Amino acid sequence: MGQILTAPDLQYHPFRRERMHCVVAPLLDGTRLTIPIEIICGAADGPRLVVIAGVHGDELEGVRAVQMLSATIDQHRLSGTVLLIPVANMAAFVSRTRRNPLDNMDLNRVFPGRPDGTISERLAYLIVYTLLANATLVVSLHGFGALGTLMPWMEFVDIPASIRQESHAAALAFGFPDLMPLPLLPGVLITALAQCGIPAIEGEIGGMGMIDPSNWRRYVTGVIQVMRHLRMISDPPVYVADPRYWGLHWIHAPAGGLFERRFALGDHVASGQRLGFLLNPFGEEIDSVVAPCDGVVGACQMAASVHPGDPVALVWSPL
Ligand SMILES: [Zn+2]
């Protein structure tokens, strides 16, 4: 199970392998919010790779992938250190929600956090400045939440700096052919890391609150490819030969209602195309949803009950 620690030792020692719980803060009920972590060190010192999942509490395929990485990594073939964070946002994980129920904040909108803030801000601060500090690379694993699903893609920051090259190279090594170069976005982990000088990539796969093996296995394979890329294991790296670059266009529901969806994941859509409509409790159409641009539907909410502003679909537009 591992010790509960307020100041975890994250140093490299040959063949070190340890599971720990890092304390974020004492809670109202007298317990403490903690983050489970596992440090795995190889025979020789080298790069430090951090793999973090469970930033959103209802995105579970990354969580399962991190667990399986723990079972897969062979310390005798490893150079450097892998730090695994299977569930970054434990309170959200327990409540099966995207947001942390203790302060109703979205952890991936408050990075790098503050040491004296709300519980999510303190959690973000501990993650960035203690667990991810000094990382050679951070791989962050996400997915759609419990209500929807998406096609796999990988994000990296698109800024004129060496961080971009290092992050982009890691994204090509990970193996997903669909890549999303993103601007700096306040509160998002890979942005906060870029501002600290740490390369990072953030993946998306699956959803529906499931742990589909065909999804988490792709995450496990991707992280192992990144370990090859960083020369943490000696097998030669393989890179995506024909990457596709896309912009992300989320479509938010203009009203609440039952959503009659007229598209499927992966469909090609044209700008202005009607993607569905919203029905009031009498079954009367009150509004509709149209594609904001030409592209491919990369994500969609599967649950038909929709609140105003829900992200009902995502269109990838070619860059
Ligand atoms: Zn997420």
Side-chain angles (χ1 to χ4, degrees):
M1 283 295 293
Q3 281 184 290
I4 297 177
L5 302 163
T6 49
D9 165 21
L10 301 174
Q11 295 299 309
Y12 169 85
H13 303 296
F15 297 116
R16 179 181 180 197
R17 185 168 197 130
E18 226 172 311
R19 291 177 174 175
M20 300 168 264
H21 296 267
C22 307
V23 174
V24 182
L27 299 175
L28 175 64
D29 64 0
T31 64
R32 289 174 291 187
L33 181 71
T34 60
I35 310 179
I37 65 169
E38 180 170 11
I39 186 165
I40 304 174
C41 301
D45 202 358
R48 173 176 287 266
L49 172 67
V50 183
V51 187
I52 179 169
V55 166
H56 293 135
D58 60 349
E59 300 173 8
L60 306 180
E61 288 169 322
V63 174
R64 188 66 183 127
V66 171
Q67 294 171 348
M68 294 308 292
L69 281 164
S70 170
T72 302
I73 292 170
D74 178 355
Q75 287 174 282
H76 295 272
R77 297 186 64 225
L78 177 68
S79 294
T81 300
V82 180
L83 184 68
L84 299 176
I85 307 174
V87 182
N89 195 346
M90 188 56 79
F93 178 70
V94 170
S95 70
R96 302 185 295 191
T97 53
R98 176 182 178 89
R99 290 170 177 266
N100 183 339
L102 300 176
D103 57 10
N104 199 32
M105 283 184 158
D106 180 335
L107 179 58
N108 208 24
R109 297 295 180 271
V110 301
F111 287 109
R114 324 165 12 148
D116 57 352
T118 72
I119 191 72
S120 291
E121 291 170 327
R122 291 176 192 224
L123 176 58
Y125 189 86
L126 176 72
I127 289 170
V128 170
Y129 292 107
T130 300
L131 302 183
L132 275 48
N134 305 316
T136 309
L137 178 77
V138 173
V139 178
S140 173
L141 302 176
H142 282 253
F144 208 111
L147 299 180
T149 187
L150 50 76
M151 301 199 298
W153 78 79
M154 186 59 69
E155 301 170 353
F156 60 96
V157 291
D158 188 23
I159 55 173
S162 62
I163 287 286
R164 184 202 187 278
Q165 279 72 46
E166 293 172 58
S167 303
H168 179 230
L172 290 174
F174 197 92
F176 289 1
D178 294 298
L179 304 181
M180 312 294 168
L182 297 181
L184 295 178
L185 300 168
V188 172
L189 178 60
I190 61 173
T191 290
L193 291 173
Q195 288 167 335
C196 295
I198 298 173
I201 54 176
E202 193 154 278
E204 299 282 352
I205 207 165
M208 304 298 294
M210 293 172 65
I211 49 170
D212 185 329
S214 66
N215 286 331
W216 58 253
R217 282 193 187 117
R218 289 191 68 179
Y219 265 168
V220 171
T221 301
V223 173
I224 291 169
Q225 291 292 338
V226 165
M227 291 168 68
R228 291 177 170 199
H229 163 69
L230 295 174
R231 305 288 192 265
M232 299 178 78
I233 47 181
S234 58
D235 304 313
V238 178
Y239 298 95
V240 174
D242 50 351
R244 298 178 290 258
Y245 297 91
W246 305 92
L248 299 173
H249 301 270
W250 281 102
I251 304 171
H252 297 274
L258 267 189
F259 186 48
E260 183 85 38
R261 186 163 47 87
R262 291 293 169 88
F263 66 92
L265 193 64
D267 278 359
H268 288 259
V269 295
S271 180
Q273 182 179 329
R274 197 164 185 254
L275 298 180
F277 45 92
L278 291 149
L279 305 169
N280 71 12
F282 297 105
E284 297 159 341
E285 183 181 330
I286 55 165
D287 216 329
S288 62
V289 168
V290 298
C293 55
D294 294 349
V296 175
V297 178
C300 67
Q301 178 173 318
M302 300 299 285
S305 49
V306 164
H307 292 305
D310 270 6
V312 289
L314 169 74
V315 176
W316 298 349
S317 65
L319 293 178

